[in-house]
Amino acid sequence: DTEVTQTPKHLVMGMTNKKSLKCEQHMGHRAMYWYKQKAKKPPELMFVYSYEKLSINESVPSRFSPECPNSSLLNLHLHALQPEDSALYLCASSPRADTQYFGPGTRLTVL
Amino acid sequence: QKEVEQNSGPLSVPEGAIASLNCTYSDRVSQSFFWYRQYSGKSPELIMSIYSNGDKEDGRFTAQLNKASQYVSLLIRDSQPSDSATYLCAVNENEKLTFGTGTRLTIIP
C-alpha cells in the first residue's frame, strides 16, 4: 500500500484568507514532502520533514508554513497568498528518504 | 548546480512500437534514479526505480542506467494509447529529488 491522501482536492481562496492543506500517510514512512507544480513544469520542492527534522527550500516565501503534528500527518498553512501561488500542491512520502510516492494533489487557485 | 535534462518532446510513437525516453544528469554522486508518469492534471506516479548499472525490467517497462555516462533511459514496449503522458526523470541525492522537465509522449493509434 503506497497511498498518500491529500485534502482538499480543490481550493479557491482570496489573498487575505488563511487556509491549510492536509496530507496523510499510514505506511510508517519517515519522510514527507511538499512540492509546488505549475503547468508544464516539474514539481519544485518546498519542504522536507525527514526523521522529524525540517528542511526548507530557501526560495519559498514565508506565506507558506509547514507543520508536522505527527509522523503520519503533514500540513501546509497558507496566508496572504498571491495569484502567482496558484498551482498544484503535491505531498509525497518516502520510507527511506529515497523513493517518493505522491498524493493526488490539491489544486489551489488564488483570486 | 545539479541538473537533470530530458528532451521535452513531444515524442510521437505508433501503437505497438517501442517508446524510448532519455535522461542525463550532472551529479556523479547520485545513487537513485526514478521514472514517474504524469497524466494531465494528475499527480506523478512512480513507475520505475533503478540503483545499479544495467537494465531493470517490469512488465512492458525497462529502465537502463549507465553511471559512467550519467545516463538513464526508459523503454516502453508494445506502446498503448494509455501510455500517452508526460514522463519525468528524477535523481535522488541527500533525500531530495531533482526532476527533469519531462518528456511528453503521445501514442498514435
Side-chain angles (χ1 to χ4, degrees), chain A residues 33 35 37 40 42-43 45 48 50 55 88 90 96-105 107, chain B residues 32 34 36 38 41-46 49 51 88 92 94-97 99-102 104:
Chain A
Y33 309 78
Y35 289 86
Q37 188 177 26
K40 299 191 189 305
L45 182 64
V48 181
S50 180
S55 297
L88 181 66
L90 296 162
R96 294 174 303 277
D98 58 357
T99 309
Q100 293 185 24
Y101 300 93
F102 285 85
R107 175 72 60 188
Chain B
S32 312
F34 306 91
Y36 287 85
Q38 188 171 25
K42 302 295 186 183
S43 65
E45 174 192 7
L46 178 69
S49 59
Y51 304 92
L88 295 162
N92 180 291
N94 294 329
E95 305 179 358
K96 295 181 175 64
L97 286 182
F99 286 90
T101 52
R104 189 155 56 92

Side-chain angles (χ1 to χ4, degrees), chain B residues 14-64:
Chain B
E15 184 175 356
I18 296 175
S20 177
L21 306 165
N22 303 316
C23 173
T24 59
Y25 59 95
S26 62
D27 193 342
R28 286 193 169 274
V29 303
S30 298
Q31 295 295 320
S32 312
F33 306 87
F34 306 91
W35 284 99
Y36 287 85
R37 178 176 63 198
Q38 188 171 25
Y39 294 113
S40 181
K42 302 295 186 183
S43 65
E45 174 192 7
L46 178 69
I47 52 172
M48 289 289 282
S49 59
I50 187 165
Y51 304 92
S52 305
N53 279 331
D55 295 0
K56 179 182 177 183
E57 186 174 321
D58 184 0
R60 295 186 296 112
F61 298 99
T62 299
Q64 299 174 316

